[in-house]
Amino acid sequence: MEGKMSWTVADAVDYKGFPADRLKTGGWVPAALVLGIEVCERLSTMGIAVNLVTYLVGVMYLPSSTSANVVTDFMGTSFLLCLLGGFLADSFFGRYKTIAIFSFIQTLGTGALAIATKLSQLRPPPCHASESHTCKPANGFQMGILYMALYLIALGTGGLKSSVSGFGTDQFDEKDEKEKAQMTYFFNRFFFFISIGTLTAVTVLVYLQDEVGRSWSYGICCVSMLVAILIFLSGTKRYRYKKSSGSPIVQIFQVIVAAINKRKMEFPYAVELLYEDTPEAQRIHHTDQFHFLDKAAIVAEGDFERNVVVSAPNPWKLCSVTRVEEVKMMVGLLPIWATTIIFWTTYAQMITFSVEQASTMERSIGGFLIPAGSLTVFFVVAILITLAVYDRLIMPVWKKWKGKPGFTNLQRIAIGLVLSSFGMAAAALAEEKRLSVARTTGTTTTTLPISVFFLIPQFFLVGAGEAFIYTGQLDFFITQSPKGMKTMSTGLFLTTLSLGFFVSSFLVSVVKRVTGGSNGGQGWLADNINHGRLDCFYGLLAVLGIINFVLYLVCAVWYKPRNPKPAIQMETIVNGSSAENKC
């Protein structure tokens, strides 16, 4: 019996609910089946996002500001729905069912988008705008079909991304040295395939969209996702399934509700009198920060639910000190969380207005025309170069000078914020140059005689900033959160991406309204960017970035880390160690 039990995984079951057999379930092969889903998700989402603005402006005849908001709202919703997917996986469906359900939803959305871009009835008739003639934009029905497709994809992406990496790691037993080594290899492959999917999207798929047809490109995404789903389902009998421990969101609300209900109660004269039922080895010591929440641990009459076996506390009335301290730790992350949102607002401009800028510039190399959306490949290049320089040059020098293996997470976030402000300043200068050429040659000129490579500095600076801030944020939110709320803290990190896109939409709307009476009635964000002052908008973002950086420094000085675990350095992103926590 003991020999048989040694071949089972303690915290996992098979598809029938029995203890998972180590020889028949899990390992690299089932984990590899999950990778196909992630590749196709990246292929679809990035292939759509980086080139969608050119479709909205050039085919649906929407104003540039409206087109940018459609893209940022789509991306923001995709990341925001990661929280919903994580909640459903933790509380109801489990990761396997969540992946299956939401990958199918994304397939439906991609198929609907392929149809919407194919049928002529679902887009306005072809038109060539001029000074005296304005093209008629898409009507409500046409936009409604497009929105339905986009938000089906967003729903599928959010639900899917929340579980893929976690389900992949479920296939390995961390307590087994051999499988732990295999898990590291899986992390490496996971990040590699994410990069492959992104690169393919911004190069091959964008080229197909511009030169062959968007419906063909989206159709390829739809079919590839369908194949990936079938491959994923084929491994049902080989997977290991881990039971959920419940959603940390519910646990956080329990502490808040209990504290509010006991807001009029007096604190006991000693901290030791607060309720604590957590095993000694797992306890988090009491702190005086956010003292109000401590009231959730005050024992009062009626807090315990009695049954025939044991007396247990009602979690909505009484919470342990450790549970309260976990919530305090999460609350303490919020100032840093809030001051990193602006970076992703800057990032949003790189896949909206910057792509629209590129579409008006000279993009030919010999006889090859570079698709405007493919300029985002410089993001990937900037990230890889930054990671390599940091790993091979900066880290060794820093270790010799300071005796530390690299920058702290808060330092990396600060560097990312600074680089993003420089990126917006560079974008403002490049746009000023582009506008001067447009005024010289005529604002209705289809292709301006200025090289698209003038935009490289802004892509490179913001891309390098992403390499620093992404690793810094990921490190910060993982190492500074309680053990039982890692998924929640990762979701909190991803909401900065979501809110960054939504803030971009909000800023565009405000600037559009406030500046509408300037620049000859065109405003900063004119329907045709050749008539606007996009350079002023970029300058505004640079100024906001500087103000935000000052606020961030204040929050970073205020923040008191709690027993930080070994930091996740930038090179581990290359090795894939952080892929487990990427939504």
Side-chain angles (χ1 to χ4, degrees), residues 94-130:
R95 288 170 175 164
Y96 171 78
K97 290 182 180 179
T98 301
I99 292 172
I101 292 170
F102 285 97
S103 58
F104 182 71
I105 291 174
Q106 189 186 48
T107 304
L108 290 178
T110 309
L113 188 61
I115 294 172
T117 54
K118 177 65 176 178
L119 298 179
S120 59
Q121 296 90 335
L122 297 180
R123 60 178 183 269
C127 167
H128 297 285
S130 64

Side-chain angles (χ1 to χ4, degrees), residues 41-61:
E41 183 277 320
R42 286 286 81 194
L43 202 64
S44 298
T45 305
M46 294 307 296
I48 292 166
V50 299
N51 207 32
L52 181 59
V53 71
T54 60
Y55 177 77
L56 295 171
V57 173
V59 178
M60 304 300 276
Y61 305 123

